[in-house]
Every structure is written in structure tokens, then in C-alpha cells.
Amino acid sequence: MTMEREKLHIWDIPVDKVDRAKAMAIFDEMMAEPGCSMIVTPNSEIVMNASKDDELADLIREAELVIPDGIGLVYASKILGQPLNERVTGIDFADAALQKLAKEGKSVFFFGSKPDGGSGVSVAQMAAEKKMAEYPGLVVSGMRDGYFKPEDEDSIVAQINASGAELLLVALGSPKQEKFIQRHRGEFQNVRAAIGIGGSLDVWAGTLKRAPEFYQKHGLEWLYRLIQEPSRYKRMAALPLFMMKVVMTKGRKKNGN
Ligand code: UDP
């Protein structure tokens, strides 16, 4: 990586201060370099989890690109006095990457989500069909659902390698997806970049609705998700807790502790 980087530190977690254009420029560099780079897209829940999960914290520190996905990180950056201009959602970034791949004739592997999206076809395949129709020229050279046993991982890596894909999208939820990538990225032969994309395959497949534009614009996707899946309220408590912890950190810094 040669491009100059500015980083924001939320506790000991580094986040790249990037907008979408800069993130895409870094992605271009990754695709031109040997080895598999890792992109992570933390939101406040992931940053909170990283403070209790060393493996997750370490892999974020080792990732080649850490994109601020989540309005909580944008607020935190302002409170900490190192403002981020905007957040870049993982799904938008992945989408822009697919558009680019289609233009360049490079291929992608979709790994994750349910084996049946409701019509007997996997969510990954439904998403692939949608994206190939949207971006003519896009090659999805392999797919696999995200339900497997630890002993299946070697054959999954072999399948990814055999596909020849240069981009790997992993939709297993966090931190499973990030840990899978970190565990195996040294074994990938053609993959130049791998990214965990959470529920993005579901959104592309149409099995999960993305928040309408209003919610996206106002940073209220969490509210939309809460309305759709009220059982997530416990996980969502991470956002106010995260904000409180940031404010307390700021207070401690001011007092010189
Ligand atoms: N998923 C998977 N394997 C698993 C667990 C989850 O493929 O063992 C998929 C799930 O089907 C969904 C995606 O991971 O498509 C994201 O799951 P979830 O919404 O729980 O994760 P989040 O992104 O909210 O953390």
C-alpha cells in the first residue's frame, strides 16, 4: 500500500479516514498487488465487541483498510476531535467494487447466507443473478452458502481458489466473517481482496429489505432494522453504550487522565 493514510483511533482501534472515493482508490491498489488484502467495515457494535475480543481487535489492526460503516463512528470521530466527513457503508462499497470488477472483467466469489432464499435457490445465487443483471460483464465465478462445520473450511478455501476469483465477499455476520478471512487469507491464491459484508447478499437477493433512503440519509438505519426485527434490541443497545464510552474517554482526556 503506497497511498497516504490518515487514521482515526477509537480507543486502540484504528479506522481509516476515508470517503467513498478514497476507499475505492485504495481498493484499486489492493487489486493490483499480490497477496490477499483484508477490508473490514466496523460499526459501533463491532468496535465495542473488539474491546472484549482480542482476536477481533488484532485482525482489525492488521486489516489493510478499515472503513467507517455506521453513524456512531461518525459521531464518535466528531466528539474525539478528529471528524470523519462521512460514513461509507460496507454494502455500498461492495456494490461499487462489483461495478468496477464488471468493467475490468475480473471475477468475484459470493460466500455466505442461507442455502435456500425461499425458492429452493441459495441467497448467494439469487444475489449473483441480480448483480450480473445489474452490471453486465460481471463474473461471479463461485458461490457457497454460509452454513458449514469447521472441518469444511479447507474444502471451502479450495473451492474459492479453484474459482479463480480475485474478490471474495464473505456474508457470515460479524465477527465470524472477519475471523474466517483472517484465518485463511494466507492460503488464497488469486484473491486480492476479501471483505465481510454481513447481510448484503440478503439485501441484493431481495430476502431482506434495506432501509428506505430517508432512514439512510438521517443515519437511522438502526431504527428501521429495529422496527423490522424487534428482537435485535439487545444488540442495538451497543450504540448508546458506545457513545457513552466515547464521551467518557473524551472527558478523561480533557482532565489529563
Ligand atoms: N450467516 C451465515 N452463516 C452463519 C451465520 C450467519 O451465512 O453461520 C449469514 C446470515 O444468513 C446472513 C448474514 O450471515 O445472511 C448476516 O447475518 P446477521 O444478520 O446475523 O449478521 P450481522 O451482519 O447483522 O452481524
Side-chain angles (χ1 to χ4, degrees):
M1 294 283 124
T2 50
M3 203 165 293
E4 223 173 273
R5 299 290 186 88
E6 222 187 311
K7 291 200 194 260
L8 154 75
H9 283 85
I10 302 184
W11 308 308
D12 51 355
I13 300 296
V15 178
D16 283 292
K17 285 179 84 173
V18 288
D19 56 14
R20 193 171 134 160
K22 177 99 192 228
M24 288 314 294
I26 294 168
F27 175 70
D28 277 343
E29 267 195 10
M30 288 175 175
M31 296 304 282
E33 280 176 3
C36 174
S37 294
M38 173 154 163
I39 303 160
V40 287
T41 64
N43 55 18
S44 40
E45 188 189 347
I46 296 177
V47 174
M48 285 291 272
N49 289 343
S51 62
K52 294 169 280 180
D53 179 342
D54 290 342
E55 187 186 346
L56 179 60
D58 284 345
L59 75 82
I60 298 175
R61 283 186 211 110
E62 285 169 31
E64 281 74 12
L65 177 59
V66 183
I67 295 177
D69 176 351
I71 200 72
L73 265 61
V74 175
Y75 293 150
S77 71
K78 291 187 175 145
I79 293 169
L80 296 172
Q82 312 168 57
L84 288 163
N85 293 330
E86 60 180 31
R87 69 177 184 147
V88 183
T89 64
I91 188 167
D92 285 338
F93 176 85
D95 202 58
L98 292 183
Q99 197 171 3
K100 200 154 231 184
L101 252 51
K103 281 199 194 115
E104 295 170 359
K106 290 177 178 163
S107 65
V108 59
F109 192 105
F110 283 2
F111 171 38
S113 300
K114 297 212 166 74
D116 183 353
S119 51
V121 173
S122 71
V123 170
Q125 185 168 341
M126 289 163 72
E129 280 162 13
K130 289 266 172 65
K131 286 292 139 184
M132 288 189 294
E134 191 177 346
Y135 302 131
L138 179 67
V139 182
V140 182
S141 58
M143 278 165 270
R144 199 198 183 287
D145 71 74
Y147 294 83
F148 57 91
K149 298 195 196 76
E151 58 267 32
D152 298 332
E153 292 196 12
D154 286 346
S155 74
I156 295 172
V157 172
Q159 189 191 346
I160 292 166
N161 280 335
S163 76
E166 288 178 65
L167 174 65
L168 172 63
L169 301 185
V170 185
L172 304 175
S174 181
K176 204 171 181 184
Q177 56 198 17
E178 288 81 14
K179 290 182 179 177
F180 176 88
I181 294 170
Q182 180 73 346
R183 232 180 355 263
H184 296 293
R185 64 180 176 134
E187 299 161 55
F188 295 136
Q189 289 157 3
N190 303 296
V191 180
R192 295 285 162 262
I195 175 169
I197 56 166
S200 302
L201 293 181
D202 290 296
V203 173
W204 292 339
T207 51
L208 183 77
K209 264 207 245 135
R210 191 173 182 193
E213 208 169 312
F214 169 83
Y215 291 85
Q216 291 183 38
K217 254 200 191 139
H218 296 279
L220 291 172
E221 272 160 308
W222 59 270
L223 176 62
Y224 181 78
R225 235 173 147 189
L226 185 61
I227 295 165
Q228 285 216 318
E229 292 176 71
S231 61
R232 294 179 77 95
Y233 81 93
K234 264 201 190 137
R235 289 177 54 177
M236 286 181 169
L239 181 59
L241 282 178
F242 171 79
M243 292 314 307
M244 257 164 61
K245 205 171 156 186
V246 169
V247 171
M248 279 158 64
T249 307
K250 174 78 177 170
R252 271 203 304 277
K253 272 199 181 143
K254 261 195 186 153
N255 296 329
N257 295 317

